[in-house]
C-alpha cells in the first residue's frame, strides 16, 4: 500500500497524473470509475488535461462502480447522469464504451453479467474508489461478503443519510438499494486508487488501513491488494 498526503487540489493533480501516464502508455485501457463528491476535483483535472491535449479518452473503456436502483440515466441524481455531466460529455470519450450499471429492470443474473463484460474487455486496469463513512467501497456495505461480484445491495442507513445531501436533504427521496460491483470485482482490478478527503473520513481511513481486515469494514480488504494507492488530504489522513 502506498499513501500520498497533500492538499485536496494537489491530490487531485497527482491522481490525474496517474491517469495521464496510463492513458498515454495504454490508450485502450479499461478504467473503473466512481461517483460522489470525492472524484469531482479529479474529473476537473482530467477534463483540463484532455482539453490541453495531454491525454485522450478516445479508445478508453470505462465501467462505473454502481448505480441506484430505480433511477434511470436521465435522473439528475443517477450516477450515469453524474458521469455524463462531470466527465463523459466534457472529454473525447466514445460514450458507447462507457458503462454504468443499469438501475432499472435488472435481474440478479443481468447484474452479474456486468462482471463478464468487464472480463471480456480485458479487466480493469485502474479502479478509482472513494470511501463511505461506514467503510463501504462501491456500495458494498459492512458485512457484505468479500467474494461477491456485481449484485444488488440494501444501502445502510448511514449511507442513506450521507447521500441525502444530493436529494434536497430529503432522506425519503434517496433510493434504498443500489447495484454495485462486488468486492471481488473491485479486487480483480490491476491497480486501485482511493481518494479520501476531509475530516469526516479520518476515523474510517484509520480503521480501514490500520485495523484488521474484516467485512465489518469493507475497505479494509484493500490492505491485501498488491497495487493499492491511497491519496488523501491532511484532514482525511489526520488519524494515521
Ligand atoms: C460512488 C461510490 C461510493 C462513494 C462513497 C463516498 O460511486 O461507490 O462508495 O465513493 O460513498 O462518497 P463521497 O465521495 O460523496 O464522500
Amino acid at each position: 500500500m502506498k499513501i500520498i498526503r497533500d492538499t485536496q487540489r494537489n491530490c487531485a493533480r497527482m491522481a490525474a497524473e496517474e491517469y495521464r501516464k496510463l492513458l498515454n502508455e495504454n490508450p485502450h485501457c479499461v478504467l473503473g470509475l466512481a461517483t460522489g463528491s470525492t472524484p469531482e476535483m479529479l474529473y476537473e483535472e482530467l477534463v483540463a488535461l484532455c482539453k490541453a491535449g495531454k491525454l485522450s479518452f478516445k479508445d478508453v473503456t470505462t465501467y462505473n462502480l454502481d448505480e441506484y436502483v430505480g433511477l434511470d440515466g436521465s435522473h439528475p441524481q443517477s450516477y450515469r447522469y453524474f458521469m455524463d455531466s462531470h466527465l463523459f460529455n466534457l472529454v473525447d470519450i466514445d460514450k458507447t464504451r462507457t458503462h454504468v450499471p443499469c438501475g432499472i429492470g435488472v435481474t440478479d443474473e443481468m447484474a452479474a453479467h456486468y462482471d463478464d463484460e468487464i472480463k471480456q474487455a480485458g479487466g480493469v486496469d485502474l479502479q478509482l474508489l472513494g470511501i463511505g463513512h461506514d467503510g463501504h467501497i462501491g456500495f458494498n456495505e459492512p458485512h457484505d461478503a468479500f467474494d461477491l461480484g456485481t449484485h444488488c445491495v440494501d444501502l445502510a442507513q448511514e449511507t442513506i443519510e450521507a447521500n441525502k445531501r444530493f436529494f434536497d436533504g430529503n432522506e425519503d427521496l434517496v433510493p434504498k438499494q443500489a447495484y454495485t460491483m462486488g468486492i471481488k470485482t473491485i479486487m480483480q482490478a490491476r491497480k486501485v486508487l482511493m481518494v479520501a478527503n476531509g475530516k469526516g473520513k479520518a476515523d474510517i481511513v484509520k480503521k480501514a488501513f490500520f485495523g484488521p481486515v474484516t467485512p465489518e469494514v469493507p475497505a479494509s480488504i484493500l490492505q491485501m491488494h498488491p497495487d493499492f494507492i491511497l491519496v488523501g488530504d491532511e484532514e482525511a489522513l489526520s488519524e494515521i
Side-chain angles (χ1 to χ4, degrees), residues 208-228:
F209 305 116
F210 293 87
V213 175
T214 163
E216 274 169 51
V217 184
S220 65
I221 188 72
L222 295 163
Q223 294 181 37
M224 318 281 283
H225 194 282
D227 196 356
F228 171 59

Side-chain angles (χ1 to χ4, degrees), residues 1-228:
M1 172 165 76
K2 184 168 155 197
I3 300 180
I4 297 175
R5 183 193 303 246
D6 211 319
T7 62
Q8 212 167 307
R9 180 55 71 182
N10 284 343
C11 285
R13 289 200 178 120
M14 277 185 274
E17 182 55 19
E18 286 288 326
Y19 286 84
R20 194 195 61 74
K21 275 193 278 170
L22 174 63
L23 271 59
N24 281 299
E25 274 162 24
N26 179 6
H28 290 87
C29 65
V30 178
L31 302 179
L33 297 175
T35 57
S37 323
T38 306
E40 284 182 13
M41 214 178 263
L42 167 60
Y43 292 157
E44 269 173 40
E45 293 292 332
L46 292 178
V47 170
L49 286 176
C50 188
K51 292 214 157 101
K54 298 204 167 132
L55 59 78
S56 169
F57 288 87
K58 202 165 55 69
D59 297 315
V60 165
T61 301
T62 68
Y63 289 89
N64 261 79
L65 282 166
D66 39 21
E67 182 60 282
Y68 289 116
V69 170
L71 301 193
D72 85 359
S74 62
H75 190 291
Q77 297 314 333
S78 72
Y79 286 166
R80 161 54 76 180
Y81 192 97
F82 176 101
M83 289 311 302
D84 285 349
S85 48
H86 286 84
L87 189 66
F88 300 152
N89 289 346
L90 310 176
V91 295
D92 59 349
I93 204 161
D94 171 355
K95 288 261 278 285
T96 64
R97 291 176 188 265
T98 67
H99 307 84
V100 180
C102 179
I104 287 195
V106 178
T107 61
D108 288 352
E109 226 166 79
M110 285 155 84
H113 185 62
Y114 200 62
D115 296 293
D116 300 334
E117 277 184 47
I118 295 173
K119 261 186 219 133
Q120 275 158 22
V124 170
D125 291 295
L126 178 58
Q127 177 65 56
L128 178 64
L129 296 177
I131 183 168
H133 295 98
D134 60 0
H136 69 231
I137 49 176
F139 272 135
N140 296 278
E141 298 286 19
H143 307 291
D144 271 0
F146 279 160
D147 62 350
L148 288 177
T150 302
H151 64 296
C152 183
V153 291
D154 294 332
L155 299 183
Q157 185 56 29
E158 199 172 346
T159 302
I160 292 168
E161 261 158 45
N163 288 3
K164 73 180 181 194
R165 68 192 195 280
F166 299 115
F167 292 83
D168 299 327
N170 185 348
E171 192 179 310
D172 295 340
L173 298 180
V174 184
K176 306 296 179 279
Q177 289 187 310
Y179 288 107
T180 182
M181 280 186 196
I183 301 273
K184 183 168 152 199
T185 323
I186 292 170
M187 288 297 281
Q188 281 167 347
R190 282 183 269 281
K191 183 172 195 150
V192 178
L193 171 69
M194 175 180 279
V195 182
N197 293 318
K199 189 83 196 138
K201 301 288 171 73
D203 284 345
I204 195 64
V205 163
K206 182 178 178 194
K207 263 196 209 153
F209 305 116
F210 293 87
V213 175
T214 163
E216 274 169 51
V217 184
S220 65
I221 188 72
L222 295 163
Q223 294 181 37
M224 318 281 283
H225 194 282
D227 196 356
F228 171 59

